[in-house]
Amino acid sequence: MSITPKWRNLFIAIMLLQVATRIQPTRAFSRSNLIRQLGRSNTIRRNHASAVPCSQSSRSRPSQSSWMTAGLIMALSSTTVASQQTTLCQGDGDSNTLTVPPFDESVLSYDHYNGVTLHLDKLSSNETTDNEEESALFAQDLKQAMSFWKAEQRKGIWVHVPTSKAHLVPHCVKEGFDFHFVKDKVLILSQWLPQDKPSRLPLGPTHQVGVGAVVFHPKDPSRMLVVQERTGPAAKWKLWKMPTGLLDPSEDIPEAASRELMEETGLEAVMDGILCFRQAHRPSSASDLFFVCHLTLTDPEATWKACEDEIADIKWMSVEDYCGQERWQGSPTYETLNDTIRKASQKAQESQDHKVEGMIDSLVLPVGLGYSGTNAVFKSHL
């Protein structure tokens, strides 16, 4: 079987590339890898509107490997591997530009605020490359990328670093990145590029959201379901309290209130509305939003089962006794919260079906506008 000129040229190109840039034969062969390897020795990049001047050292007389690489480009152009026009930054009269970032597009994303995210969690690992070699290559690529993005007048640059790429973090810090936050075991670093404008990058997570489940007795709404915890601040004071807890990621408030009640008492209920909420700021921890939710049991005859690890006891308690506990007294915040629970209980007692009117209702609605998913909307009775 004869070999066509196109495939012969491609074979020659691969052989030249191995000699010129010392690529390991086991390294994955792709257009992006070719362009990246060529860029390491000759700063070859595709044309782009923005440009970064190459170092003056690239103006030296072409070496043997440079001529081999130039031949490689000619071979590649005939095989359509590098279908987009490339720029060789090397001799006099050539265009001295770096015109694409040195990272594959598969690990980059762009936001609506002229920012770029480098996803190291999507960066493939080469089994033949150790951490030391990978670190050296990454440091070079990141330095070039930052120069390129500055020339493009980008604003916020983000780097996502999984645990497996932690050895690359020092190179990010050296290039001016700061720790931003950690999400799903991925370290997020950020850098604001404009020197003449203050940073507009959003802060990392600053708030935690909690819920409390107020459940009135199905037949006697003058009583409410309360628990005593085994550990924590409330346990120290022997305080009877409503079931409470923090929201999980991507969890809506109604779901969280029902889940916390189920986890602590084994009772199933649905949220009817929000009675009130509290906002608190603590210097040593995240700011806190706490929503007091009213729930109704799905089975009025159901019996509770305390969570052995968290809950010491469960009972129905008079709302007045709950609000009158000594620990609450003298706190305008908790006295106000408890007064709202007291008024809700009174409204339920006055209603024939024990309904509480006037709460903040919750709706789960499609986002629309071309976006998928839903949002939880909370509305008053205006």
Side-chain angles (χ1 to χ4, degrees):
M1 181 179 67
S2 61
I3 301 176
T4 64
K6 179 178 71 173
W7 291 107
R8 181 176 63 250
N9 289 339
L10 178 58
F11 177 76
I12 294 173
I14 296 174
M15 298 300 293
L16 286 172
L17 183 61
Q18 291 185 14
V19 175
T21 61
R22 298 176 181 170
I23 296 179
Q24 296 293 334
T26 56
R27 182 165 291 181
F29 178 75
S30 67
R31 185 177 71 183
S32 60
N33 280 340
L34 285 176
I35 297 301
R36 290 187 67 198
Q37 292 298 331
L38 290 171
R40 297 193 194 288
S41 58
N42 298 281
T43 321
I44 297 173
R45 296 295 183 259
R46 289 171 285 182
N47 285 332
H48 189 277
S50 301
V52 178
C54 295
S55 63
Q56 294 300 318
S57 62
S58 64
R59 289 182 170 273
S60 61
R61 183 176 180 178
S63 63
Q64 181 181 2
S65 64
S66 297
W67 286 115
M68 296 172 69
T69 306
L72 172 59
I73 298 174
M74 296 174 65
L76 288 175
S77 64
S78 67
T79 61
T80 70
V81 173
S83 59
Q84 300 188 34
Q85 183 180 4
T86 61
T87 301
L88 175 61
C89 176
Q90 141 175 324
D92 291 335
D94 290 326
S95 175
N96 299 312
T97 58
L98 172 66
T99 53
V100 293
F103 294 105
D104 192 271
E105 287 295 317
S106 64
V107 302
L108 300 175
S109 62
Y110 304 88
D111 57 47
H112 296 294
Y113 303 96
N114 199 26
V116 182
T117 300
L118 173 58
H119 300 269
L120 299 188
D121 45 333
K122 297 181 180 179
L123 191 66
S124 59
S125 297
N126 193 325
E127 295 180 358
T128 64
T129 303
D130 57 23
N131 285 355
E132 184 176 350
E133 182 180 355
E134 184 181 34
S135 294
L137 295 177
F138 174 75
Q140 176 183 332
D141 285 348
L142 183 62
K143 187 176 185 66
Q144 292 179 353
M146 293 303 293
S147 296
F148 177 77
W149 289 326
K150 288 175 182 177
E152 278 197 321
Q153 296 185 338
R154 295 286 182 177
K155 294 183 178 178
I157 309 297
W158 305 83
V159 182
H160 290 200
V161 187
T163 305
S164 61
K165 301 292 183 181
H167 56 282
L168 302 180
V169 170
H171 301 293
C172 298
V173 175
K174 185 176 180 180
E175 288 300 322
F177 284 86
D178 293 319
F179 291 177
H180 206 86
F181 64 98
V182 176
K183 180 181 180 182
D184 299 331
K185 299 182 180 180
V186 173
L187 172 64
I188 313 296
L189 298 101
S190 67
Q191 184 175 166
W192 177 256
L193 295 186
Q195 298 295 314
D196 57 341
K197 298 177 182 178
S199 174
R200 294 190 177 92
L201 295 178
L203 298 174
T206 59
H207 288 67
Q208 66 180 17
V209 181
V211 291
V214 173
V215 179
F216 295 130
H217 192 284
K219 298 179 180 179
D220 181 8
S222 68
R223 295 190 291 164
M224 62 183 288
L225 188 71
V226 293
V227 299
Q228 268 192 346
E229 295 180 337
R230 291 187 181 277
T231 60
K236 175 183 177 181
W237 297 97
K238 301 293 184 181
L239 187 68
W240 289 99
K241 57 188 286 292
M242 69 186 86
T244 60
L246 297 175
L247 269 66
D248 289 335
S250 302
E251 187 177 38
D252 291 333
I253 290 173
E255 297 172 350
S258 297
R259 175 184 55 78
E260 285 294 342
L261 180 68
M262 170 63 74
E263 289 178 357
E264 295 189 9
T265 69
L267 296 173
E268 184 176 348
V270 294
M271 194 185 90
D272 298 317
I274 296 174
L275 298 176
C276 59
F277 69 92
R278 180 210 68 205
Q279 182 180 20
H281 307 289
R282 298 179 179 89
S284 60
S285 61
S287 295
D288 179 79
L289 291 171
F290 181 76
F291 291 82
V292 180
C293 308
H294 176 252
L295 290 81
T296 298
L297 297 176
T298 55
D299 180 6
E301 303 300 326
T303 56
W304 57 66
K305 182 180 180 181
C307 174
E308 294 182 0
D309 294 334
E310 298 182 26
I311 304 302
D313 200 2
I314 306 174
K315 71 175 183 179
W316 294 106
M317 185 179 195
S318 162
V319 172
E320 288 300 328
D321 289 343
Y322 171 84
C323 297
Q325 293 181 91
E326 182 179 356
R327 182 58 182 166
W328 303 131
Q329 310 311 309
S331 168
T333 295
Y334 285 99
E335 288 178 355
T336 300
L337 292 175
N338 290 340
D339 188 57
T340 303
I341 297 173
R342 182 186 290 109
K343 290 178 179 178
S345 172
Q346 292 172 350
K347 285 195 172 186
Q349 294 177 58
E350 295 168 357
S351 172
Q352 291 184 349
D353 54 4
H354 295 166
K355 297 291 184 181
V356 178
E357 301 293 340
M359 294 183 295
I360 299 174
D361 293 335
S362 66
L363 301 171
V364 178
L365 304 172
V367 179
L369 303 176
Y371 295 97
S372 60
T374 60
N375 280 177
V377 177
F378 303 89
K379 66 184 187 71
S380 66
H381 288 269
L382 293 176

